[in-house]
Amino acid sequence: MDRREEQPGAAGAGAAPALDFTVENVEKALHQLYYDPNIENKNLAQKWLMQAQVSPQAWHFSWQLLQPDKVPEIQYFGASALHIKISRYWSDIPTDQYESLKAQLFTQITRFASGSKIVLTRLCVALASLALSMMPDAWPCAVADMVRLFQAEDSLVDGQGRCLALLELLTVLPEEFQTSRLPQYRKGLVRASLAVECGAVFPLLEQLLQQPSSPSCVRQKVLKCFSSWVQLEVPLQDCEALIQAAFAALQDSELFDSSVEAIVNAISQPDAQRYVNTLLKLIPLVLGLQEQLRQAVQNGDMETSHGICRIAVALGENHSRALLDQVEHWQSFLALVNMIMFCTGIPGHYPVNETTSSLTLTFWYTLQDDILSFEAEKQAVYQQVYRPVYFQLVDVLLHKAQFPSDEEYGFWSSDEKEQFRIYRVDISDTLMYVYEMLGAELLSNLYDKLGRLLTNSEEPYSWQHTEALLYGFQSIAETIDVNYSDVVPGLIGLIPRISISNVQLADTVMFTIGALSEWLADHPVMINSVLPLVLHALGNPELSVSSVSTLKKICRECKYDLPPYAANIVAVSQDVLMKQIHKTSQCMWLMQALGFLLSALQVEEILKNLHSLISPYIQQLEKLAEEIPNPSNKLAIVHILGLLSNLFTTLDVSHHEDDHEGSELRKLPVPQGPNPVVVVLQQVFQLIQKVLSKWLNDAQVVEAVCAIFEKSVKTLLDDFAPMVPQLCEMLGRMYSTIPQASALDLTRQLVHIFAHEPAHFPPIEALFLLVTSVTLTLFQQGPRNHPDIVDSFMQLLAQALKRKPDLFLCERLDVKAVFQCAVLALKFPEAPTVKASCGFFTELLPRCGEVVPVGKVVQEDGRMLLIAVLEAIGGQASRSLMDCFADILFALNKHCFSLLSMWIKEALQPPGFPSARLSPEQKDTFSQQILRERVNKRRVKEMVKEFTLLCRGLHGTDYTADY
């Protein structure tokens, strides 16, 4: 193979100077792309071809690739290259060549009218792009010209071929407009021009659609073309004739899908609601589809029923407000609503027998919102009409929410079951929303139905029916306050009468009890009616999630009424935990439930229960602590530590007082003696240290140990005080041996709660100095592999400055080294680490005046910080972090103004810093803007965003649209 033959691959590999974009090389590269089995060669060929498409030579080879003797893949590439050149490099084309380019494209489209369809489409897209770039000045009647040219006789192409080519061109024109990169002002001009030009398109489409001699392929294309044009927000009244023709075409199975798409697009355009008279004319057309809809449902024709439902919903959902406003037409709109109700209740189980009902759910939200938005008098009239409709909707939705028979459900795939679960959640959300319209009467309605079902001994009832009614209750009770409902006592009384023979029904019974836990807290006498059901369900692994989450809710909401049942709850829970019935996450929830439960008991009772509850685990942990570390005993250790930390998360024997946001957390004293959690922690402290000694190098075990203390500290606050010295000592030893982020996070908690207390300051200060010293050593060795440690360290430093700035007065703290490490952390690629470092500086800079060592280091090294911030803004950091860097600039300006005004001028002096794209004037403007703004932080953030876009060369581009 000579050098020229190797060109595509070689060029793709990066040999830029030798690029030779000839017809032959393009064809070879395309052959390589389509037929070479080697994926690397394919990638090289693709890269080279992409360069070829945008090269100046593309103007030359594109036309040659379209020659009749070439295969469609090659012709397609030629047409695509032309489109790319026209759409992206329009400014490169001299104005005197517009006409010849237009003529050549017309010629090629005419030739391909009877050739490859994919090539024809690409050529049409290229001509559409050319038309959009020339309209309205250089080509004022572009669309009319297209229609005229293609209607002219041409002996080379038959009439149908020309007609289809013209329709393809007219179809892609609006689509190309929607995706074009035209500047905003041009887009407005072209849109206005196209709106006028639709006068040349619609009469042609009407004629072709209504002409009996038009073949099916032409009519199909007409409908697609209409569908494309209506998205340009053409006035709905101008579309009337075509919409009516599309409705007529729904009877033709070949045209059905295209007709649906066209009608839905026309009805759904935002501007359509202005044309109320046209909308009113559409209602009878939609209602006229009811017989076709019923036939489709009867014959199991899901596609037809789905399509007709889409049309009805599009009209109802997009225009319910406009149609409700026409009070004199209330009956025709009500008929449309009833048609949508039929679609909601379409027979069969979603998603196996039907997929239509889910389309309608949003309509019911919209209709309700529109009715409730009217003034009182009109709303009252519509409430009278639509309350019965919404009660019917509830019945329909609960019927649709019913599970199929056990046998049928067994054949469903896991994907179908998951879709059905999501569908039921959507129904649940709809029922919750409908409660706003129907109020307490809805609960009474559900209760009456359930009561009749459970007390009628003559008629056998299906579990599915019972489950659906309970599901309706649960949906409402989960989010609506039902405490004042007079039917809940009756419901609680009915629940034990339910014959539970099925997992799905049992699950819903559990979740319904859970949803009523707040009501039970206000009516504790009823707890005994349902608690035995929950405890019984705990022993069934299939009901794991529902039973455990329900018990947790009851223990959280009703804990002060549970002492009489505590022994039983603890015994059952212990039993299921020992039998390992539940998965890890449910075991953790169960421990949280027990924490809530024990919180309401007397201290002696708590200690007694804790002893029986956790003794088996402590014994197991003692045994594991003796064993040589291996993966299986690690899992057991992490599990036991997790159980303890979840128990201590919720075991709280006192009340928090938190009057205002940001106020210091305080707890009312515990009058009953030492805190039970502290007693237990002190008992197991030695054992935990023993476990740690063997597992210090395992992050998961260390994390699990820290979690026990962190959750206990958060829950107990001041009550944790007796543990502070020994925990500080243990944390120091842990961190010195192997630094881990979880130890720093726990240290931060201790600083937050105890650093301001004189009695605890010495051990906290010693721990703070130790972890700081160890982390600074880590920085000297290279911190890049430990972004999590650096992140947690920065958060610890910020917390120390916030809660106890005195920690920075200690002579043993190397504030200068801390400052320099934090500057280094600003350059990490991990966003959370950078955010934490910025947070540290925004806490540090305001302390310049009050903490002498901080003031000194800022004076000496503040310039280094500013340069790092400017580098980040200049392009080294992610744009999403710019607000954080703006906070540092604002703090520097507010607290170190004289230093900043000197540093920023010096820092921006060197050419090319912080970006080669900046002019000296732009840098000067930025520094002046920053120095002027010392009050409004939001303005500084805007300045930084603006400046970073200039630095990155993105100012004024599409990339900034969402920024």
Side-chain angles (χ1 to χ4, degrees), residues 581-815:
I581 284 171
H582 302 291
K583 290 181 180 172
T584 301
S585 53
Q586 275 72 57
C587 293
M588 302 306 158
W589 291 358
L590 192 49
M591 278 302 205
Q592 287 179 22
L594 294 171
F596 286 125
L597 173 74
L598 297 180
S599 300
L601 303 181
Q602 296 297 310
V603 169
E604 313 81 64
E605 282 295 305
I606 296 174
L607 287 168
K608 193 169 79 179
N609 278 293
L610 277 177
H611 180 73
S612 69
L613 185 62
I614 64 179
S615 287
Y617 294 111
I618 301 305
Q619 287 162 16
Q620 205 180 335
L621 198 58
E622 282 170 343
K623 189 161 160 279
L624 290 164
E626 300 296 336
E627 293 176 11
I628 296 162
N630 67 59
S632 68
N633 59 26
K634 171 189 162 174
L635 278 177
I637 288 170
V638 169
H639 181 74
I640 292 168
L641 295 174
L643 291 174
L644 293 176
S645 63
N646 277 280
L647 179 64
F648 297 155
T649 301
T650 53
L651 208 173
D652 186 7
V653 293
S654 57
H655 305 287
H656 296 215
E657 278 189 336
D658 185 7
D659 298 329
H660 299 96
E661 194 180 330
S663 67
E664 295 202 355
L665 287 167
R666 280 285 174 270
K667 290 164 64 74
L668 298 174
V670 183
Q672 305 156 300
N675 191 295
V677 173
V678 174
V679 172
V680 173
L681 282 175
Q682 285 175 328
Q683 286 171 359
V684 299
F685 198 80
Q686 297 301 327
L687 174 58
I688 288 174
Q689 283 188 308
K690 190 174 181 181
V691 170
L692 260 183
S693 65
K694 287 196 174 177
W695 290 92
L696 251 182
N697 60 347
D698 189 291
Q700 242 185 314
V701 175
V702 171
E703 213 169 291
V705 167
C706 289
I708 289 181
F709 294 105
E710 192 176 353
K711 288 177 177 179
S712 305
V713 169
K714 278 182 180 173
T715 308
L716 301 178
L717 302 176
D718 295 343
D719 289 351
F720 189 84
M723 296 287 302
V724 170
Q726 59 200 114
L727 182 57
C728 286
E729 192 186 331
M730 184 183 89
L731 272 174
R733 278 205 304 276
M734 271 167 58
Y735 197 75
S736 303
T737 314
I738 295 178
Q740 299 208 16
S742 50
L744 289 174
D745 295 335
L746 180 50
T747 304
R748 186 175 84 246
Q749 280 295 330
L750 293 173
V751 167
H752 175 61
I753 294 164
F754 295 108
H756 61 282
E757 308 238 353
H760 300 303
F761 184 70
I764 299 261
E765 183 189 40
L767 174 61
F768 177 74
L769 292 170
L770 178 63
V771 297
T772 302
S773 167
V774 171
T775 312
L776 292 177
T777 308
L778 192 73
F779 264 93
Q780 287 166 0
Q781 295 162 355
R784 272 301 302 115
N785 296 331
H786 307 285
D788 56 333
I789 292 178
V790 176
D791 182 350
S792 295
F793 182 54
M794 291 298 136
Q795 289 186 56
L796 168 62
L797 294 171
Q799 187 67 264
L801 284 161
K802 196 185 289 185
R803 298 294 283 175
K804 192 69 176 170
D806 290 6
L807 286 165
F808 277 71
L809 290 169
C810 180
E811 288 177 9
R812 284 178 292 150
L813 182 71
D814 190 342
V815 180

Side-chain angles (χ1 to χ4, degrees), residues 500-517:
I500 300 176
S501 55
N502 174 280
V503 170
Q504 283 91 4
L505 176 58
D507 258 337
T508 303
V509 168
M510 284 301 112
F511 285 128
T512 305
I513 295 169
L516 294 171
S517 55

Side-chain angles (χ1 to χ4, degrees), residues 496-563:
R497 300 183 63 154
I498 297 170
S499 168
I500 300 176
S501 55
N502 174 280
V503 170
Q504 283 91 4
L505 176 58
D507 258 337
T508 303
V509 168
M510 284 301 112
F511 285 128
T512 305
I513 295 169
L516 294 171
S517 55
E518 285 185 39
W519 185 91
L520 287 168
D522 289 340
H523 306 82
V525 71
M526 303 299 282
I527 291 173
N528 199 33
S529 302
V530 291
L531 187 60
L533 289 173
V534 179
L535 295 179
H536 178 69
L538 276 183
N540 185 343
E542 289 186 294
L543 303 178
S544 183
V545 172
S546 60
S547 61
V548 174
S549 68
T550 297
L551 182 65
K552 183 180 163 184
K553 281 180 179 176
I554 291 173
C555 290
R556 184 180 66 216
E557 300 299 336
C558 313
K559 62 182 176 185
Y560 296 112
D561 302 298
L562 291 179

Side-chain angles (χ1 to χ4, degrees), residues 206 209-210 243 261 350 389 392 414 478 498 549 552 556 569 596 722 784 790 853 933 939 952 956:
E206 286 169 36
L209 202 52
Q210 289 160 356
I243 293 174
E261 213 58 48
Y350 182 96
V389 173
Q392 186 192 347
S414 56
E478 265 178 344
I498 297 170
S549 68
K552 183 180 163 184
R556 184 180 66 216
I569 295 171
F596 286 125
R784 272 301 302 115
V790 176
E933 194 50 80
R939 278 287 301 123
R952 296 163 200 256

Side-chain angles (χ1 to χ4, degrees), residues 17 42 141 180 284 322 360 396 459 515 580 585 782 909 949:
K42 280 180 183 289
C141 301
S180 67
T360 65
V396 166
E459 280 186 45
Q580 297 182 337
S585 53
Q909 202 82 47
L949 292 173

